[in-house]
Amino acid sequence: MTTTNSSPAATAPPSLRLARERFLSGRPLPCGVPEEVVAAWRRARFFGVPHDLEEPAVAPPRPVESALLGAARPVLDRIVPALGADRSLLVLTDERLRVLWTAGSVPGLDPCPVLSEQEVGNNSAALALRTRRRAEVHGPEHFLDRWQDVSAVSVPVLAPEGGRVAGTLTVVSVRDVRSAVQDFTGQGMNYFDTVRESR
């Protein structure tokens, strides 16, 4: 789990999966598990997130109207064809990490209505919102069982006035998303800059 450097899970041996299993069963962790990953697992446990959660207990209502979605929609519509929608998912959230819009699909993965750590544990959208930087979370860095084979990369979406974080944009894939994300983030951020400048 990182913001700009390579994710520890991306370069770690399969022992990170074993470390997660040991954490969930209350056994001591092996040496070398990145502290930021362990801290994220602890937060999920503190919030009472069950690792075998299928979907959040209470889905928050989607905003009826979203200025962010209205402004981003033309940009998102241009990005989706480049994404490879049959093997990746694109997710836009608001500042409370409520999912406003999705496109594409990842086999066996239904999108969640909310991505806050209090509801689903650590994920790249929550990390990007908190750090205001690009964030990656791969496989066993996630707390949820259902996300163990998923990689995700998120960027914060900043409001043109004042630079506050208005939401996040995430690419999710069952494969290592680095190459797709490099293309996406370059295109996506250029598109968002164009939208900002045209306002």
Side-chain angles (χ1 to χ4, degrees), residues 12 14 18 22 39 45 58 69 94 114 116 132 136 155 169 181:
L18 174 62
R22 292 181 67 87
R45 181 173 279 166
V58 179
L69 180 56
D94 67 10
V114 63
S116 72
R132 297 177 53 95
E136 299 180 21
V155 292
L169 189 60
V181 169

Side-chain angles (χ1 to χ4, degrees), residues 21-60:
E21 291 303 316
R22 292 181 67 87
F23 175 84
L24 293 175
S25 64
R27 294 181 290 166
L29 297 178
C31 294
V33 179
E35 185 52 41
E36 61 192 29
V37 173
V38 176
W41 294 340
R42 286 185 181 133
R43 282 192 308 274
R45 181 173 279 166
F46 173 80
F47 291 134
V49 176
H51 67 89
D52 58 354
L53 180 73
E54 289 300 319
E55 62 182 65
V58 179

Side-chain angles (χ1 to χ4, degrees), residues 96-162:
R96 293 173 51 198
L97 294 170
R98 295 175 298 184
V99 174
L100 300 175
W101 178 90
T102 63
S105 66
V106 173
L109 182 68
D110 295 324
C112 288
V114 63
L115 294 175
S116 72
E117 279 195 322
Q118 293 85 347
E119 296 293 329
V120 297
N122 55 304
N123 62 80
S124 63
L127 185 58
L129 184 77
R130 185 171 66 245
T131 63
R132 297 177 53 95
R133 296 172 65 186
R134 179 178 177 265
E136 299 180 21
V137 177
H138 301 278
E141 293 175 340
H142 293 103
F143 188 71
L144 294 185
D145 293 346
R146 67 186 281 198
W147 292 348
Q148 291 305 292
D149 295 321
V150 170
S151 288
V153 178
S154 299
V155 292
V157 178
L158 304 178
E161 309 85 25

Side-chain angles (χ1 to χ4, degrees), residues 11 20 25 31 37 52-53 58 63 65 71 75 86 88 121 125 132 143 146 156 161 175 177 182 194-195 197-198:
T11 57
R20 179 182 170 273
S25 64
C31 294
V37 173
D52 58 354
L53 180 73
V58 179
E65 292 184 28
V75 174
D86 59 334
S88 299
R132 297 177 53 95
F143 188 71
R146 67 186 281 198
E161 309 85 25
R175 58 179 168 74
V177 296
Q182 287 172 352
T194 301
V195 169
E197 291 167 6
S198 67

